[in-house]
């Protein structure tokens, strides 16, 4: 069993309630921070921990905090990004639903470090039952003196509010989130200025993912250096992964980032192998935006080394031969799945979620979807594959926000690694309607390992 | 003397100039002028917050500044990126830029109706100019184009949403020039549209300016008498004592013979309005006697309008779309052909009746 | 004229109080949710104008927002809306078959409502329940690990619920 820092207590009965959470050691980090540390010391601990943002980009959290502008007399804000809408990702929901106090605790410590008096949790609207859970936890924490005025007699004051979205993946992008929080359409802002200088209501703002902020709790409890000892290289600490697709045990797992991809998929402690005794075909290891990899490149890097479940190893080989840790949404495809169809659903997703501000994304995502639909339905031409490639290439890097890239990458990777499957669709327009291409040569048959 | 301000040196396409700190790459490039200035479909100097959206003005920054000479990893929107001292920028000298810009133009055109032959804006359309320079012949888009019903936004303005490129300029105009914004961008993604939601007339004193800022023919002047081709019209500068405190009263009158066909604000060499005018000046004052005439507008050499020495025929028999009657507007090729009007060798007076795109096909001219 | 109950108006006040002075526009998304729940499950122009008045916004600001977010219904919907996720991870676990089955059971297509006004079927994009696929949202809650049998029992449950609360 790997080390658990976040989910260790999640199975404790009643842990959702304040009494149990506190009895199990909850809110110690707030006591420690407020009573024995300055805000800068808290930031230093986070820096030492090597914690990287868990929302997808993997930016070092301590560094992000230290960029926050601190002009006199201007309020600063911390906003927790609980928009979680990247296909394949459902870890933040799990954490908020079952361990709401862990997030609240992390928010208090982080707000203290950043000097914020008002902090918002922006949660996707579809998670309609979770705001109540969070608000109950906030009320409990407030009743126990962890929120409000003069917390623990230190003079520090803080209120936490829950803000619900209303259905828009793009509001996970931090500046779109801020627009939405201001009651506007979720159009990403043109940067610079960055939120650290001009964010919510033009005030300096930090946006962090739910898991990032929760991880601040163990960092304070154990100390940044101890935290940094877990994991490998720049992948420190533990990471939540949400595993889904054709595996035996879909769900949310906490790993320390030393295990191999193979172990993660096949061991009974985690995904438990491919469902229905099938073989592994491909996997998107970090949420729908990151490149899909065929089985052989997933389990071993291009250099032939075992691929590990961490930031560096997953991206080993660059986009040509690697992928990314992303948001930790681990999507597994078995031998019976059709990569074209899967890519089509993702293209449809990004078309649906484009805010429509900038032309390459607004027009390009719809175009890619239409071509993919044709190919999937046996109406594609072989020139369509090159056209798709050219369209994604012209979107990537040319848009206002990374949604454009996120839409381009899955298409690019699918063509890069599964071009034969696309061609098969084009060349077998009738057959492709009744059966799938299957496994072909790129997936090595694997003997499952056991834990 | 005031103390000397430090200026920033910036090099764009190998030409170095000095500009005030806070100048955008686009504005610096416009100072150099000519082809070095990137095309801008959404940015508008006079509209706060505009720019960044269309991505036609993307440029490559090969050195960020003297202090940090690293190149920028991605192309940047020149309209919303400020120059730094020692910055080196490549616009038309960068293959990456040209490639990306061709892509952007293609994206802007895939859902555009390409109905230039019947569009009021033809001849003064930024998208037409852009596609002339960057568009490929034919289209790779084989799907049904997105369409919207055209409709009137009150007595003055017609909205032809199908042509819109979502530059947001008209939204900023309503926000910044009128006391109440009543139209905006509705829906999202590729369904986004400029609309009022519940069909309403737009009638605020300054709302007519949305026609002038529209880079394409999506917002047009309903009082423009007879649909016409701008190159048949002669622009004349004029002014009047306008009672509206915010209106400058300085306009361009567009004549056909003795008649004023339409009134617009004056535009600078980048096609931007010099000063806003009120609805009354624009829509209600269509008599020469309403105005003090200053003289003919100096028109940019590249402009289609400058070719309008239309001497052969005084009054067209029919308007252009009648001539087109029943015929479907052609695709991209027509944009090229229409833009061939720029070809100085064509003398409009030699063409009988109103000209249309096919008149400018090279084969006809050589015959 | 529509109007929130006093209790709901108090809730609106509470929401507005979460933001600094003069930032009441931030309350727009939450208040639109309230309004949609209160006034028939959708946002009519009248409802949106009412919300605009409450928050001192221009109506167009409300329309812009209401049309942007997918959770706001701009047309009336059935009493029970089946919002079935169809994105990749759900597709891998058979969401297409679930959509087909619901279509067949209810005799309606995607985006339609049954003649009795009871059910609407919508397909939606990833709802963050990919590990519990196939799934759908029904009202406030998720229904996960869907099978044909489960769909049957959900339909029965809705019918009973409707009969009870008529
Ligand atoms: C299109 C798009 C969607 C995103 N969605 C999310 C999301 O749902 N949750 C999240 O935490 N970050 C999301 N992000 C990343 C955020 O912009 C931001 O980087 C993150 O919240 C920063 O937090 P972190 O540093 O703690 O990871 C998204 C980014 C993009 C471009
Ligand atoms: S890339 Fe897409 S989502 Fe991002 S700003 Fe542009 S249109 Fe909007
Ligand atoms: S003019 Fe710069 S992005 Fe449109
Ligand atoms: S794909 Fe259906 S919930 Fe994520």
């Amino acid at each position: 069993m790997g080390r658990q820092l976040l989910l260790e207590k999640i199975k404790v009965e009643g842990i959702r309630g304040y009494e149990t959470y506190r009895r199990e050691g909850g809110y110690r980090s707030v006591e420690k921070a407020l009573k024995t540390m300055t805000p800068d010391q808290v930031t230093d601990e986070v820096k030492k921990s090597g914690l990287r943002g868990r929302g997808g980009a993997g930016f070092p959290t301590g560094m992000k905090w230290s960029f926050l502008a601190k002009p006199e007399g201007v309020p600063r804000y911390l906003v927790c990004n609980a928009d979680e809408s990247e296909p394949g990702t459902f870890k933040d929901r799990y954490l908020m639903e079952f361990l709401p106090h862990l997030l609240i605790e992390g928010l208090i410590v982080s707000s203290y470090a950043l000097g914020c008096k008002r902090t918002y949790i922006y949660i996707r609207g579809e998670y309609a039952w979770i705001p109540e859970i969070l608000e109950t936890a906030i009320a409990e924490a407030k009743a126990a003196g962890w929120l409000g005025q003069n917390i623990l007699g230190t003079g520090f004051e803080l209120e936490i509010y829950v803000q619900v979205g209303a259905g828009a993946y793009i509001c996970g992008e931090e500046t779109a989130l801020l627009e939405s929080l201001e009651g506007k359409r979720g159009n990403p802002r043109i940067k610079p200025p960055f939120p650290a200088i001009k964010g919510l209501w033009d005030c300096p703002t930090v946006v962090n993912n739910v898991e990032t902020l929760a991880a601040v709790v163990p960092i304070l409890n154990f100390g940044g250096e101890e935290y940094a000892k877990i994991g490998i290289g720049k992948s420190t600490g533990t990471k939540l992964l949400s595993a889904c697709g054709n595996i035996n045990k879909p769900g949310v797992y906490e790993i320390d980032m030393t295990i191999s991809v193979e172990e993660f998929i096949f061991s009974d402690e985690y995904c438990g192998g491919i469902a229905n005794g099938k073989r592994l075909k491909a996997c998107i290891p970090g949420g729908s935006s990151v490149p899909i990899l065929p089985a052989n490149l997933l389990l071993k890097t291009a250099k032939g080394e075992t691929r590990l479940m961490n930031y560096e190893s997953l991206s080993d080989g660059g986009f040509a031969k690697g992928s990314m840790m992303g948001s930790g949404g681990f999507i597994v495809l078995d031998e019976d799945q059709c990569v074209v169809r899967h890519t089509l659903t993702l293209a449809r997703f990004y078309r649906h979620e484009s805010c429509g501000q900038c032309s390459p994304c607004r027009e390009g995502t719809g175009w890619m979807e239409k071509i993919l639909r044709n190919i999937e339905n046996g109406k594609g031409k072989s020139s369509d594959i090159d056209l798709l490639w050219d369209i994604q290439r012209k979107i990537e890097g040319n848009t206002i926000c990374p949604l454009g890239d996120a839409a381009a990458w899955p298409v690019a990777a699918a063509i890069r690694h599964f071009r034969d499957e696309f061609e098969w669709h084009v060349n077998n327009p009738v057959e492709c309607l009744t059966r799938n291409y299957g496994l072909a040569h790129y997936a090595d048959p694997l003997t499952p390992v056991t834990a | 003397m005031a103390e000397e301000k430090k200026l920033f040196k910036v090099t764009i396409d190998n030409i170095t100039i000095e500009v005030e700190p806070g100048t955008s790459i686009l504005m610096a490039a416009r100072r150099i002028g000519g082809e070095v200035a990137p095309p801008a479909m959404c940015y508008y100097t006079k509209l706060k917050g505009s720019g960044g959206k269309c991505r036609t003005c993307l440029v490559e920054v090969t050195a960020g500044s003297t202090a940090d000479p690293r190149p920028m990893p991605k192309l940047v929107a020149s309209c919303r990126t400020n120059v730094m001292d020692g910055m080196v920028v490549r616009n038309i000298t960068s293959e990456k830029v040209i490639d990306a810009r061709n892509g952007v133009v293609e994206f802007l055109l895939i859902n555009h109706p390409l109905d230039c032959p019947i569009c009021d804006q033809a001849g003064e359309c930024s998208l037409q100019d852009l596609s002339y320079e960057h568009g490929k012949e034919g289209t790779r888009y084989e799907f049904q184009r997105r369409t919207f019903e055209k409709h009137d936004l009150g007595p003055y303005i017609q909205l032809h949403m199908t042509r819109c490129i979502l530059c947001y300029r008209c939204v900023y105009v309503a926000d910044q020039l009128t006391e109440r914004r009543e139209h905006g961008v509705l829906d999202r993604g590729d369904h986004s549209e400029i609309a009022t939601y519940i069909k309403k007339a737009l009638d605020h004193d300054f709302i007519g300016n949305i026609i002038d800022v529209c880079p394409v023919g999506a917002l047009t002047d309903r009082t423009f008498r007879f649909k016409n081709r701008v190159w048949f019209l002669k622009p004349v500068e004029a002014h009047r004592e306008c009672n509206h405190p915010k209106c400058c009263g300085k306009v361009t009158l567009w004549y056909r013979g003795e008649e004023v066909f339409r009134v617009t604000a004056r535009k600078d060499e980048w096609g931007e309005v010099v000063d806003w005018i009120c609805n009354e000046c624009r829509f209600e004052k269509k008599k020469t006697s309403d105005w003090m005439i200053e003289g003919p507008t100096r028109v940019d050499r590249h402009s289609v309008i400058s070719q309008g020495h239309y001497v052969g025929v005084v009054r067209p028999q029919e308007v252009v779309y009648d001539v087109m009657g029943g015929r479907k507007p052609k695709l991209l090729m027509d944009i090229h052909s229409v833009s061939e009007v720029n070809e100085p060798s064509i003398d409009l007076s030699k063409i009988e009746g109103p000209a249309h795109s096919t008149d400018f096909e090279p084969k006809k001219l050589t015959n | 004229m529509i109007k929130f109950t006093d209790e709901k108006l108090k809730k609106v006040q509470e929401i507005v109080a979460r933001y600094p002075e003069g930032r009441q526009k931030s309350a727009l998304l939450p208040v639109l949710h309230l309004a949609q729940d209160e006034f028939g499950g959708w946002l009519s122009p009248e409802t949106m104008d009412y919300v605009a008045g409450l928050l001192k916004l221009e109506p167009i600001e409300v329309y812009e927002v209401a049309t942007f977010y997918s959770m706001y219904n701009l047309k009336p919907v059935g009493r029970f809306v089946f919002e079935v996720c169809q994105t990749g991870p759900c597709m891998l676990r058979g969401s297409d078959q679930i959509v087909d089955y619901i279509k067949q059971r209810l005799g309606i297509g995607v985006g339609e409502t049954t003649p009795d006004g009871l059910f609407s079927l919508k397909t939606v994009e990833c709802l963050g329940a990919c590990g519990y696929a196939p799934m759908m949202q029904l009202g406030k809650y998720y229904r996960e690990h869907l099978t044909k049998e489960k769909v049957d029992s959900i339909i029965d449950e809705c019918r009973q619920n409707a009969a009870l609360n008529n």
Side-chain angles (χ1 to χ4, degrees), chain A residues 88 90 93 118 120 124 126 132 162-163 165-167 180-181 184-185 201 245-247 250 341 345 348, chain C residues 18-19 23 25-26 33 64 68-71 86 88 92-93 96 125-128 130-131 137 140 144:
Chain A
F90 47 99
R93 162 188 169 189
R118 245 183 236 259
Y120 297 90
R124 68 178 301 179
E126 293 91 339
E132 261 167 52
V162 180
Q163 175 87 358
S180 183
L181 185 43
K184 303 178 194 157
R185 297 162 63 81
W201 303 305
N246 309 114
I247 46 176
R341 182 158 187 78
T345 72
R348 185 189 58 216
Chain C
R18 296 173 186 166
Y19 319 104
R23 301 296 185 183
K25 183 167 182 179
S26 285
H33 280 302
E64 280 179 328
F68 185 89
Y69 296 94
S70 61
M71 287 176 74
Q86 53 168 0
L92 295 174
R93 306 289 297 211
D96 294 347
E125 301 294 347
C126 181
L127 293 179
C130 327
Q137 179 148 35
K140 192 168 159 186
E144 297 169 337

Side-chain angles (χ1 to χ4, degrees), chain B residues 1-156:
Chain B
M1 277 286 283
E3 69 181 280
E4 223 172 279
K5 261 217 197 110
K6 164 138 177 56
L7 295 179
F8 282 177
K9 252 197 188 77
V10 55
T11 305
I12 310 175
D13 286 340
N14 303 319
I15 301 168
T16 303
I17 56 162
E18 292 195 327
V19 295
E20 302 253 325
T23 306
S24 66
I25 298 175
L26 178 75
M27 293 318 270
R30 283 186 179 180
R31 286 263 312 276
I32 298 172
E35 286 195 302
V36 173
M41 296 289 288
C42 68
Y43 176 77
Y44 213 78
T45 319
K46 287 203 163 50
L47 296 173
K48 236 180 82 207
S50 67
K53 300 189 196 297
C54 72
R55 319 304 285 176
T56 56
C57 73
L58 292 175
V59 293
E60 184 180 357
V61 176
T62 52
S65 64
T66 313
D68 181 0
R70 283 176 304 174
M72 292 191 181
K74 290 180 182 180
L75 303 183
V76 300
S78 60
C79 64
R80 292 289 298 257
T81 310
N82 285 353
V83 298
M84 300 297 283
D85 198 23
M87 185 184 261
V88 180
V89 178
R90 301 216 282 161
N91 177 28
I92 48 168
T93 52
S94 160
E95 270 175 41
K96 264 204 230 159
V97 169
I98 300 303
D99 183 52
R101 196 170 290 154
N102 288 347
V104 171
V105 172
E106 184 173 26
F107 288 134
L108 287 175
L109 289 174
I110 60 171
N111 276 304
H112 191 80
L114 302 172
D115 57 348
C116 311
I118 57 159
C119 177
D120 273 10
Q121 194 90 355
E124 47 180 12
C125 171
S126 308
L127 186 58
Q128 200 178 29
D129 296 345
L130 198 61
S131 48
Y132 180 53
E133 280 161 41
H134 296 275
K136 292 199 195 73
E137 189 124 331
T139 175
R140 301 192 289 173
Y141 189 71
E142 297 179 336
F143 303 91
Q144 204 163 9
R145 281 157 206 271
R146 180 173 64 226
T147 53
F148 297 88
E149 291 286 313
K150 72 169 176 220
H151 60 266
D152 295 334
L153 301 172
Y156 298 137

Side-chain angles (χ1 to χ4, degrees), chain A residues 167 185 187 190 351-355 357-359 362-363 367 370 381 390 393-394 398-400 405, chain B residues 51-55 74 99 103 106-107 111 140-143 146 165 168 185 187-190:
Chain A
R185 297 162 63 81
N187 283 355
I190 292 146
R351 191 264 300 146
H352 186 255
E353 302 301 335
S354 163
C355 83
Q357 264 190 112
C358 62
S359 11
R362 178 183 66 239
E363 305 295 345
W367 194 2
K370 290 191 176 96
K381 305 191 290 286
D390 197 47
R393 191 177 67 79
K394 284 186 165 132
N398 294 335
T399 53
I400 294 176
D405 304 340
Chain B
K53 300 189 196 297
C54 72
R55 319 304 285 176
K74 290 180 182 180
D99 183 52
E106 184 173 26
F107 288 134
N111 276 304
R140 301 192 289 173
Y141 189 71
E142 297 179 336
F143 303 91
R146 180 173 64 226
I165 59 152
Y168 284 60
V185 178
D187 222 306
R188 80 171 180 219
D190 59 359

